[in-house]
């Protein structure tokens, strides 16, 4: 079988287009440190060791990949927009760097360039995350997206980030803040407490693990003497020094190993966190994770805000605001997300 030169040329062109598949994001406005907030001097942009600067007021960790990039960019913009010291926030991005990337996969360098183009003065670093590190530990869950290896990057922050970074705020890519991230980062972590997050003690904790787990005396004893409540791992304050000392990554990996042999839960990266930390976390006001805005996992219904104040909106669940906006079928709260959408022309946002 012979192909005509034209077809070969078209195939090459298609492959080249797939390899540079990232859309053009516009440049975000520059936000400056507030005089009233008594911020330290702005972080330098170029210095490689700036992550260890005592002038970094807040460290934020997020993942970075082509499929959720639009969400990450919006989340970063929302953090800066509402921070009292935006020039003193340092971002740690963990990017997928598979050992054998598919021809169409977007490289770490391209992701870094995209962030830099939209945020010319942002202090950040991109860490390649070797997905093969967790690929063998992942068992399939009810929703394919939950099994992306990058979802597990949050379990490896303690070894990924430099050891000078002690406290970090981890954020999912489908969030938008409407409040100062410094208030969230300042959550007290008493004693050896390592994780802070909003707790949901009225959620049915039993449902997160299989009947087999609860039927096993040795397994269910895990939660004995703990007031274990559900918490969402999309918004967490972590003390990485304590994490390193206690070796929590190895504990999480042990549960993932067990899950591969005996099915003890149905969801992805969340249950190992519950197994290790539920009942041992510091509480955070619910305003910091108004979750579930992605809607129903099965039918994609819209969800509204929970009762109470709002400092962070979280489109957890199946639906993502950017997909619904593109499809012309947004949920009412997706309008809030679209104010931070860097694919949307600025003039359009200012007039809306
Ligand atoms: C909690 O979930 C378990 C397992 O799905 C179920 O058997 C139980 O009835 C639920 N309890 C309540 C109070 O809804």
């Amino acid at each position: 079988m012979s192909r005509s030169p034209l077809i070969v040329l078209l195939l090459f062109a298609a492959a080249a287009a797939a390899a540079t598949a990232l859309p053009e994001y516009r440049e975000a406005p520059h936000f400056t440190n507030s005089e009233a907030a008594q911020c330290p001097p702005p972080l330098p942009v170029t210095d490689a060791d700036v992550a260890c600067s005592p002038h970094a007021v807040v460290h934020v960790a997020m993942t970075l990949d082509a499929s959720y990039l639009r969400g990450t960019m919006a989340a970063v913009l929302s953090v800066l927009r509402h921070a009292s010291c935006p020039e003193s926030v340092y971002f740690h991005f963990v990017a997928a760097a598979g050992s054998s990337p598919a021809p169409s996969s977007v490289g770490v360098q391209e992701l870094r360039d995209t962030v830099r183009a939209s945020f010319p003065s942002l202090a950040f670093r991109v860490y390649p995350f070797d997905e093969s590190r967790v690929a063998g530990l992942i068992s399939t869950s009810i929703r394919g997206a939950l099994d992306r290896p990058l979802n597990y990057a949050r379990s490896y922050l303690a070894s990924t980030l430099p050891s000078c970074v002690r406290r970090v705020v981890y954020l999912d890519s489908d969030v938008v803040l409407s409040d100062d991230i410094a208030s969230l980062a300042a959550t007290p972590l008493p004693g050896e407490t390592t994780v802070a997050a909003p707790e949901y003690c009225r959620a049915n904790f039993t449902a997160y693990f299989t009947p087999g787990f609860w039927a096993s005396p040795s397994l269910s004893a895990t939660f004995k003497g703990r007031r274990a409540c559900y918490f969402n791992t999309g918004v967490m304050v972590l003390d990485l020094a304590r994490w390193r000392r206690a070796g929590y990554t190895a504990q999480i990996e042990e549960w993932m190993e067990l899950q591969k042999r005996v099915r003890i839960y149905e969801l992805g990266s969340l249950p190992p966190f519950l197994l290790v930390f539920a009942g041992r976390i510091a509480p955070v006001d619910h305003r910091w994770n108004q979750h579930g805005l992605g809607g129903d996992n099965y039918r994609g219904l819209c969800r509204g805000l929970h009762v109470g104040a709002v400092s962070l909106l979280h489109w957890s669940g199946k639906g993502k605001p950017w997909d619904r906006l593109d499809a012309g079928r947004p949920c009412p709260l997706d309008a809030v997300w679209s104010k931070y959408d860097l694919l949307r022309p600025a003039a359009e946002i200012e007039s809306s």
Side-chain angles (χ1 to χ4, degrees):
M1 196 187 92
S2 72
R3 284 179 172 150
S4 82
L6 179 63
I7 290 184
V8 172
L9 191 70
L10 287 174
L11 287 173
F12 266 110
T20 53
L22 294 183
E24 288 249 346
Y25 289 86
R26 72 181 159 86
E27 189 177 324
H30 178 72
F31 299 99
T32 50
N33 284 353
S34 138
E35 301 248 339
Q38 297 186 320
C39 303
L43 290 170
V45 177
T46 48
D47 183 354
D49 290 327
V50 67
C52 296
S53 164
H55 298 323
V57 169
V58 178
H59 288 276
V60 183
M62 299 187 75
T63 60
L64 198 59
D65 72 344
S67 52
Y68 281 75
L69 181 60
R70 192 165 165 191
T72 303
M73 301 284 272
V76 172
L77 175 55
S78 75
V79 167
L80 300 174
R81 162 84 180 74
H82 299 282
S84 48
C85 303
E87 294 170 297
S88 309
V89 180
Y90 192 95
F91 283 85
H92 304 265
F93 296 112
V94 185
S99 37
S100 58
S104 65
S105 77
V106 173
V108 172
Q109 183 64 42
E110 207 179 331
L111 292 164
R112 182 189 290 123
D113 292 347
T114 302
V115 174
R116 177 54 74 215
S118 284
F119 300 100
S121 51
L122 190 71
F124 74 92
R125 190 168 149 192
V126 180
Y127 307 81
F129 180 67
D130 182 5
E131 296 189 279
S132 64
R133 189 166 174 184
V134 286
L137 285 169
I138 301 176
S139 66
T140 50
S141 77
I142 52 161
R143 189 148 58 85
L146 292 174
D147 285 323
R148 294 183 317 141
L150 204 52
N151 261 324
Y152 295 82
R154 71 196 85 192
S155 311
Y156 294 89
L157 294 176
S159 54
T160 306
L161 272 50
S163 54
C164 62
V165 177
R166 176 156 190 174
R167 182 176 287 223
V168 70
V169 177
Y170 174 81
L171 297 175
D172 268 351
S173 295
D174 49 3
V175 306
V176 149
L177 277 76
S178 57
D179 200 349
D180 189 350
I181 194 161
S183 323
L184 173 61
T187 303
L189 287 166
E192 277 302 300
T193 310
T194 304
V195 177
E199 281 187 295
Y200 304 90
C201 293
R202 277 184 295 179
N204 184 355
F205 194 79
T206 311
Y208 290 95
F209 299 93
T210 59
F213 173 86
W214 296 112
S216 155
S218 62
L219 291 177
S220 58
T222 308
F223 292 114
K224 204 163 179 270
R226 290 160 65 176
R227 189 169 173 263
C229 299
Y230 167 79
F231 65 93
N232 180 284
T233 55
V235 180
M236 297 185 283
V237 181
L238 305 173
D239 185 310
L240 298 182
R242 290 175 191 163
W243 183 296
R244 292 176 190 114
R245 240 182 355 251
Y248 286 127
T249 300
Q251 293 186 31
I252 287 173
E253 284 184 333
E254 275 172 36
W255 284 114
M256 290 171 74
E257 288 281 3
L258 180 64
Q259 163 77 353
K260 281 184 66 188
R261 290 182 276 122
V262 191
R263 204 151 179 92
I264 53 175
Y265 51 79
E266 303 297 346
L267 290 166
S269 60
L270 168 71
F273 262 85
L274 295 181
L275 286 158
V276 175
F277 295 111
R280 297 171 175 158
I281 71 172
V284 170
D285 192 285
H286 286 183
R287 67 194 299 150
W288 284 104
N289 196 343
Q290 283 272 358
H291 61 108
L293 304 181
D296 181 274
N297 270 4
Y298 302 96
R299 285 169 299 163
L301 300 177
C302 293
R303 288 230 179 110
L305 292 171
H306 306 262
V307 178
V310 183
S311 292
L312 181 151
L313 297 99
H314 186 186
W315 279 262
S316 55
K318 185 162 169 272
K320 297 302 164 202
W322 51 89
D323 290 333
R324 291 194 294 236
L325 288 158
D326 283 355
R329 282 194 303 273
C331 287
L333 285 168
D334 295 348
V336 178
W337 184 88
S338 81
K339 284 187 206 296
Y340 302 94
D341 183 8
L342 286 169
L343 280 188
R344 210 175 151 208
E348 211 178 279
I349 292 171
E350 271 138 33
S351 66
S352 71

